């Protein structure tokens, strides 16, 4: 009898630590671990509300953060290599010096975030929203930014070598001294952008900056 009760209690406790559907919800234990230790690689944090969290120097490489809310959070110096951040709310988030190589950021909201010196090499950022971001000296080398919105952002001295910016919105953004060697910008709207040479692009600059 005691054995049966023990098994029941253990099963109950075990069940409380996991979501009903691990593909549509986060693991409560993983959230607790992250907030206590800032170390949670490969964790399931899908749809978790982590807004305004202080997580600088966190380790979250290959973690699942799809549809999570990380707005107004501090993720400075965090390691997020290969993390899944699809449709994640990262608006107003401090991501300075963050390591995001190969991260999946499709449809992510990065409006007004600080990406200074962040590493987004090879990141998948299709249709992501980077309006008004501070991304000076940021590495976007080989990143896929097709259909992304970079309007009004600051990208001074940033690296866009071999990046895919097809059909992206670059209006009124600042790209002074940025590196676009080998970048693909077909269909990109550069109207009003301050281009790499210090000159503004005229309205109707599509696929190239017309001075």
């Amino acid at each position: 009898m005691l054995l049966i009760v023990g098994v029941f209690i253990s099963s109950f406790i075990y069940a409380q630590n996991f979501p009903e559907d691990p593909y549509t919800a986060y693991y409560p234990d993983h959230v607790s671990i992250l907030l206590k230790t800032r170390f949670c690689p490969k964790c399931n944090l899908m749809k978790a509300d982590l807004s305004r969290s202080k997580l600088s120097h966190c380790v979250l490489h290959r973690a699942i953060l799809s549809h999570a809310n990380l707005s107004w959070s501090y993720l400075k110096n965090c390691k997020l290599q290969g993390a899944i951040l699809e449709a994640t709310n990262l608006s107003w988030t401090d991501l300075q010096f963050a390591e995001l190589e190969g991260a999946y950021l499709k449809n992510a909201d990065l409006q007004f975030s600080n990406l200074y010196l962040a590493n987004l090499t090879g990141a998948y950022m299709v249709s992501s929203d980077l309006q008004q971001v501070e991304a000076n000296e940021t590495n976007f080398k080989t990143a896929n930014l097709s259909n992304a919105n970079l309007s009004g952002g600051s990208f001074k001295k940033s690296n866009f070598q071999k990046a895919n910016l097809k059909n992206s919105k670059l209006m009124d953004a600042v790209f002074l001294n940025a590196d676009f060697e080998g970048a693909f910008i077909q269909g990109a709207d550069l109207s009003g952008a301050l281009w790499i040479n210090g000159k503004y692009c005229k309205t109707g600059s599509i696929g190239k900056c017309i001075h």
Side-chain angles (χ1 to χ4, degrees):
M1 182 66 179
L2 288 174
L3 178 60
I4 295 174
V5 172
V7 170
F8 174 79
I9 293 174
S10 297
S11 300
F12 177 79
I13 294 173
Y14 181 83
Q16 302 313 298
N17 295 331
F18 295 89
E20 293 181 4
D21 184 347
Y23 298 101
T24 60
Y26 61 89
Y27 286 56
D29 276 4
H30 289 185
V31 173
S32 299
I33 290 170
L34 174 62
L35 295 176
K36 289 177 181 178
T37 69
R38 302 185 189 182
F39 185 86
C40 207
K42 300 182 183 180
C43 284
N44 183 353
L45 300 160
M46 185 183 293
K47 296 184 179 180
D49 186 359
L50 295 162
S51 57
R52 299 183 181 276
S53 297
K54 296 181 179 179
L55 298 167
S56 57
H57 294 90
C58 64
V59 177
L60 283 165
H61 54 79
R62 297 180 65 184
I64 301 173
L65 288 148
S66 300
H67 300 276
N69 184 2
L70 282 157
S71 60
W72 293 94
S73 292
Y74 295 91
L75 299 175
K76 190 174 181 179
N77 290 295
C78 280
K79 297 185 182 301
L80 290 146
Q81 297 97 325
I84 307 300
L85 294 146
E86 182 175 5
T88 301
N89 186 351
L90 291 158
S91 59
W92 298 95
T93 298
D94 186 350
L95 285 157
Q96 296 181 78
F97 308 101
E99 299 290 341
L100 288 145
E101 302 101 307
Y104 189 87
L105 289 143
K106 183 179 180 181
N107 294 316
D109 183 357
L110 288 145
Q111 294 181 82
F112 298 98
S113 62
N114 190 339
L115 288 162
Y116 174 68
L117 278 174
N119 190 350
L120 287 143
T121 301
Y124 189 84
M125 306 180 74
V126 172
S127 300
S128 57
D129 193 344
L130 291 94
Q131 294 183 75
Q132 304 294 330
V133 299
E134 289 289 336
N136 299 321
E137 299 183 56
T138 300
N139 193 352
F140 294 99
K141 186 175 181 179
T142 68
N144 190 340
L145 288 150
S146 57
N147 294 297
N149 191 346
L150 285 71
S151 301
S154 182
F155 303 90
K156 298 176 185 176
K157 298 183 179 180
S158 290
N159 185 353
F160 288 94
Q161 291 180 8
K162 297 182 180 180
N164 183 357
L165 291 136
K166 183 179 180 180
N167 298 324
S168 58
K169 297 177 181 178
L170 311 178
M171 298 89 75
D172 302 313
V174 178
F175 297 102
L176 189 63
N177 296 315
D179 187 350
F180 276 81
E181 183 180 357
F184 188 67
I185 57 174
Q186 180 181 347
D189 190 345
L190 290 89
S191 300
L194 180 61
W195 199 231
I196 58 177
N197 56 5
K199 296 182 179 180
Y200 285 96
C201 306
K202 292 183 178 179
T203 299
S205 293
I206 306 296
K208 64 179 179 178
C209 182
I210 303 172
H211 303 307

